[in-house]
Amino acid sequence: MNVPSTEHGTACAPLLQGLWESVRAEQEHILLSPYLPASYAFLTHVILCAPFFALDALGGVCQRVRLWRIAAGSGPPPSPQQWFECFRRVLWRYLTSVLPATALFQTLRSPRLPELAPSCWQLFVEVFACFLLFDMLFFIWHLTMHRVPWLYRNIHQLHHQHHTPFALAAQDASSAELLSLLLLALSSTWVVGCHPLSEALFHLINSWLAVEDHCGYDLPWALHRLLPCLGGAPYHQAHHSRHSGNYAPYFTHWDHLFGTYHASVPYSRTG
């Protein structure tokens, strides 16, 4: 989707162009590396999980933090040991499966670096289009994995070991599922025709939303409270509790349209 630069994007065009020229001049070999997508996905996921690791640690001593937990009565937050074991599993699957497979995909894709940065309007349109497309593709794939027993047992069931998920567990899934979801994200940016800056921003926000969906907290500043079209952590935790429904990753319209929407898990803030 090559959206032409218009007056909507002229205000921040010099800023984006300067940023793009700097990154392109100094980091071109990294931007063209076939290992970038998987490395970027893993590192952003781990970094974005850090605030929720701190919340889980504080939950053991702070009543206010415990009251923000959706499943407040289901037990204590995950321990540092659970976090470490989850990190080890996710890292192993990335190194042994996701990294080599996505490197092959990127080699076949042969990405190129344009000289011009996108306008702000182009950046917004491309990122938003990617989210709409990815949300639809994820919904179809997620629903299929639940409706086809073989796919559920061999690909998706591992992710549902977490009845009460936590942030890092967003990627605690089988190698096949991790690879399929990253390929869906990469394919979405390819179909839209994203500028590399738009693609990087999409993957960054996508990682944050996945982390927030699995964090186990209904925080006052969560994005689903600001944007009612998003389901957020309560919406996705209902999926993990029921093992069905709420198949879309972020928006709720597909589940409403197909009758698979379930209300969020009720919980009490009174402790």
Side-chain angles (χ1 to χ4, degrees):
M1 180 180 293
N2 296 316
V3 181
S5 296
T6 68
E7 60 183 1
H8 298 284
T10 56
C12 61
L15 177 63
L16 288 178
Q17 186 62 37
L19 172 64
W20 177 239
E21 288 176 355
S22 175
V23 172
R24 188 168 177 264
E26 299 176 10
Q27 309 294 341
E28 183 171 0
H29 63 292
I30 295 178
L31 293 173
L32 292 175
S33 170
Y35 302 107
L36 177 62
S39 303
Y40 183 70
F42 177 78
L43 290 174
T44 54
H45 177 70
V46 171
I47 292 171
L48 293 173
C49 283
F52 297 104
F53 177 77
L55 278 179
D56 283 346
L58 286 172
V61 296
C62 180
Q63 176 70 12
R64 173 64 63 87
V65 172
R66 289 198 296 272
L67 293 181
W68 285 336
R69 284 184 58 78
I70 297 170
S74 64
S79 66
Q81 179 67 22
Q82 288 175 285
W83 274 80
F84 175 76
E85 290 298 323
C86 183
F87 174 83
R88 183 184 57 79
R89 290 192 299 268
V90 175
L91 176 61
W92 173 252
R93 290 167 191 146
Y94 262 86
L95 290 176
T96 57
S97 303
V98 179
L99 188 67
T102 53
L104 176 61
F105 177 82
Q106 282 296 96
T107 302
L108 298 174
R109 183 184 175 193
S110 300
R112 297 181 180 180
L113 301 181
E115 294 185 4
L116 298 177
S119 67
C120 290
W121 179 246
Q122 179 184 345
L123 186 77
F124 170 78
V125 170
E126 289 180 350
V127 171
F128 187 64
C130 281
F131 272 109
L132 290 177
L133 178 58
F134 177 77
D135 194 74
M136 180 188 72
L137 295 175
F138 187 109
F139 172 82
I140 295 171
W141 176 228
H142 194 188
L143 177 64
T144 302
M145 286 192 291
H146 274 268
R147 295 295 170 85
V148 178
W150 187 90
L151 291 176
Y152 183 83
R153 288 195 308 270
N154 292 279
I155 296 180
H156 191 52
Q157 188 174 25
L158 185 62
H159 183 63
H160 275 278
Q161 66 182 301
H162 300 287
H163 299 287
T164 304
F166 58 101
L168 195 61
Q171 296 210 25
D172 194 6
S174 67
S175 297
E177 182 169 0
L178 285 175
L179 178 59
S180 68
L181 297 182
L182 184 54
L183 290 178
L184 284 183
L186 292 172
S187 299
S188 297
T189 62
W190 177 73
V191 170
V192 172
C194 281
H195 188 282
L197 282 181
S198 304
E199 183 172 353
L201 181 59
F202 163 69
H203 288 307
L204 178 63
I205 301 174
N206 190 31
S207 293
W208 171 254
L209 289 174
V211 166
E212 192 176 79
D213 274 3
H214 289 81
C215 72
Y217 292 92
D218 188 9
L219 299 169
W221 55 84
L223 283 176
H224 69 275
R225 291 181 174 273
L226 303 174
L227 301 172
C229 59
L230 298 177
Y235 165 85
H236 193 68
Q237 190 140 320
H239 171 76
H240 275 264
S241 299
R242 294 172 176 267
H243 290 269
S244 65
N246 296 0
Y247 296 112
Y250 309 129
F251 302 109
T252 59
H253 58 274
W254 290 114
D255 284 297
H256 281 294
L257 285 171
F258 283 85
T260 53
Y261 177 82
H262 294 306
S264 301
V265 177
Y267 68 102
S268 172
R269 290 189 178 276
T270 60

